[in-house]
Amino acid sequence: MTTAQATAAGGASPEAAPAGAGRAAGRRPAARPRRRPDQVRSSVAAWAAVGVIGLFGLLPMYWMLVTALSPPGQAFRFPPRFFPTEITFAHFRAFTENDKLFDYMVNSVIVAGLTALLSVVVSTYMGYSFSKFRYRGRRSLMNFVLASQMFPQALLLITLYAVFRQFDLLGTYTALILSFTTFTMPLCVWMLKGIFDTVPDALLEAAAIDGASRWRTLHSIVAPLAAPGMIAAGLFAFVRGWNDFIFALTLSGDDTMTLPPGLVNTYLGEFQTAWPALMAASLIVSVPVVAAFMFLQRYLVGGLTAGAVKS
């Protein structure tokens, strides 16, 4: 039988089979492009920088944990040990058994929470006014709010102390909340102004056409859109109120003292310092702030970047 006859009978050509097989064998997955040496070096350098920065940020926290878990005798051993040979939880138990420290924590929650609330409320109205209204003195007032961040906060303490003493507010929550708000509000105002700038004016005009007042427009339309920024500003104000030391030490009383001065008065003495107990207490009091950051992380990132680009 000839080749033509075999082909006509339905068979495959002998010459066609090897060609088809060659094409099938040649279908290999595309090889991944090789990275150039300069790209590899850049990647290694970037990861090395991340590792160094991470070590720089986490090493103090690790050393606090090691000191808090070590007995008092090992905390002052030289050379220091990065891994404790003996572990004790007595310093953490001592914090939970100290009712005075619990009162300090409650005071910190009250003062920091109300400071965040007051800062957000005032900053929302001021930021919206600076962003959407045009009136005489607006630019000067904006510059004045910005310039207030240039002065050291300690300079305000003398004036605030005299004012609160005149109004008999020393040692009260009111003095602490108002003083903390003075140095948290300027940054919150500018943060929220940048977010309000991204809200289109056409949206406000549409609300006005539908009969909404300016008050209703702010609370029902603009505020929900700016909610991530308001949460970020409130978190910033909460952390500042939670961590402040000098204002809380000067303006608070025995019943309103917050954690930073309370921890110093409890663990730092004239002749000795209880470093392991102080480190254990510092780790415990940092838990609320860390939990707030983890819970509000997506709002924080959205709020900090919302005013970066103006539409």
Side-chain angles (χ1 to χ4, degrees), residues 158-221:
I158 301 175
T159 304
L160 290 176
Y161 184 89
V163 172
F164 291 146
R165 182 181 180 182
Q166 184 70 25
F167 288 94
D168 198 19
L169 293 176
L170 291 178
T172 63
Y173 289 128
T174 304
L176 295 175
I177 295 170
L178 292 179
S179 61
F180 292 166
T181 306
T182 57
F183 53 80
T184 58
M185 189 180 64
L187 181 59
C188 294
V189 169
W190 276 90
M191 182 186 303
L192 293 179
K193 178 191 176 299
I195 294 175
F196 290 140
D197 288 341
T198 62
V199 178
D201 293 337
L203 186 63
L204 308 182
E205 296 172 358
I209 293 174
D210 291 338
S213 62
R214 293 179 176 178
W215 184 271
R216 180 68 180 275
T217 301
L218 172 60
H219 291 84
S220 300
I221 299 176

Side-chain angles (χ1 to χ4, degrees), residues 107-131:
N107 293 336
S108 291
V109 172
I110 294 174
V111 172
L114 292 179
T115 298
L117 180 61
L118 181 61
S119 298
V120 170
V121 171
V122 177
S123 301
T124 298
Y125 291 113
M126 291 186 65
Y128 185 73
S129 173
F130 290 157
S131 176

